Amino acid sequence: MDFNQFLHKINKLKEAKLGGLEAQFNLAPKIRLQYSEEKIKALNPKKASVLALFYPNQQGETCFLLTLRANYNGTHANQISFPGGKYDKNDESLKETALRETFEEVGISTNTISVFKEMTNVFIPPSNFLVTPYLGYLDNSPNFTKNHEVEELITVTVKDLLNESSITTTNLSTSYAKNLEVPCFLLNSYVVWGATAMMLNEIKELLKKM
């Protein structure tokens, strides 16, 4: 997808209806329970937010950024995710959290990012986080600078995301479950599953309305 075309469709994306939990759960592991709002509230989850950042590559194609988390002693180590993280008491909003974390993790200044839509919250049971995804864009191709939390930067074209053959299944083991067969995206040879895949599928369904 040409980036100028993408920019012309931003207003349409702003107004488009979200796919919500239905779109998210099409890419959720079978063992993943769909918690009610009351149940989630009772668990008092920690708040976090992430940013799906769109930008043009050198060929003028619309891309977005994923990151491979560094290998550390934590639930989501060495997994694919969007830039983002935990809400800080000094953050004015969850949108500010996403922008701050994007700057800290990949070096993109907050005043260069235009945030244009808030997506559906995703509850992550293993770590008890309620994550709010945001969509934003840059006008130009960025120069990323990753910090210690990020092992690799992964640029994915929207064209590849929209390709139905990017969805498949894989078998994997995590720190909290073994031999799971899960639906996933295969993007640039990386397996993207779990909460990030759930978010991505809602984003994919939204982009298909352009």
Side-chain angles (χ1 to χ4, degrees):
M1 179 185 292
D2 178 79
F3 189 69
N4 288 327
Q5 179 187 7
F6 175 80
L7 291 180
H8 286 308
K9 299 289 187 180
I10 290 291
N11 286 334
K12 185 175 181 180
L13 290 175
K14 287 179 181 178
E15 301 300 323
K17 183 179 179 181
L18 295 177
L21 294 179
E22 181 179 355
Q24 291 178 356
F25 272 81
N26 283 335
L27 261 291
K30 291 180 180 178
I31 66 168
R32 172 72 160 83
L33 299 177
Q34 189 165 324
Y35 292 77
S36 66
E37 289 187 16
E38 292 77 10
K39 174 67 173 178
I40 293 172
K41 186 176 181 180
L43 290 169
N44 191 28
K46 297 163 285 188
K47 293 181 180 180
S49 60
V50 298
L51 181 67
L53 182 62
F54 296 88
Y55 52 90
N57 63 12
Q58 296 300 323
Q59 292 73 43
E61 298 174 294
T62 306
C63 302
F64 63 92
L65 181 69
L66 294 173
T67 65
L68 174 64
R69 293 289 176 189
N71 194 10
Y72 63 96
N73 186 23
T75 305
H76 304 295
N78 211 36
Q79 292 184 6
I80 307 294
S81 67
F82 292 107
K86 186 177 179 180
Y87 173 78
D88 186 274
K89 62 181 180 180
N90 294 320
D91 294 334
E92 292 184 0
S93 64
L94 284 165
K95 182 175 78 170
E96 184 177 320
T97 301
L99 290 169
R100 173 182 56 77
E101 289 279 350
T102 297
F103 173 68
E104 292 176 2
E105 292 179 4
V106 300
I108 301 300
S109 298
T110 59
N111 59 6
T112 64
I113 300 172
S114 299
V115 176
F116 63 91
K117 198 171 185 71
E118 179 180 325
M119 303 296 286
T120 305
N121 289 339
V122 178
F123 178 58
I124 306 178
S127 53
N128 195 34
F129 269 104
L130 185 65
V131 182
T132 304
Y134 290 89
L135 307 185
Y137 68 90
L138 296 169
D139 289 320
N140 302 300
S141 300
N143 292 314
F144 295 116
T145 305
K146 61 186 179 70
N147 73 356
H148 66 280
E149 298 176 68
V150 178
E151 183 68 26
E152 292 183 35
L153 300 171
I154 306 166
T155 289
V156 181
T157 64
V158 165
K159 179 182 177 181
D160 285 344
L161 175 65
L162 295 178
N163 188 337
E164 293 300 332
S165 66
S166 66
I167 295 178
T168 183
T169 59
T170 191
N171 189 279
L172 49 79
S173 296
T174 72
S175 59
Y176 50 87
K178 304 298 180 185
N179 295 318
L180 286 176
E181 184 177 358
V182 298
C184 64
F185 285 95
L186 187 61
L187 299 168
N188 296 9
S189 300
Y190 290 93
V191 173
V192 185
W193 69 283
T196 302
M198 292 168 67
M199 296 175 200
L200 263 181
N201 202 54
E202 188 183 28
I203 294 169
K204 175 183 177 180
E205 294 302 315
L206 179 71
L207 294 174
K208 285 167 64 175
K209 299 176 182 179
M210 293 180 68

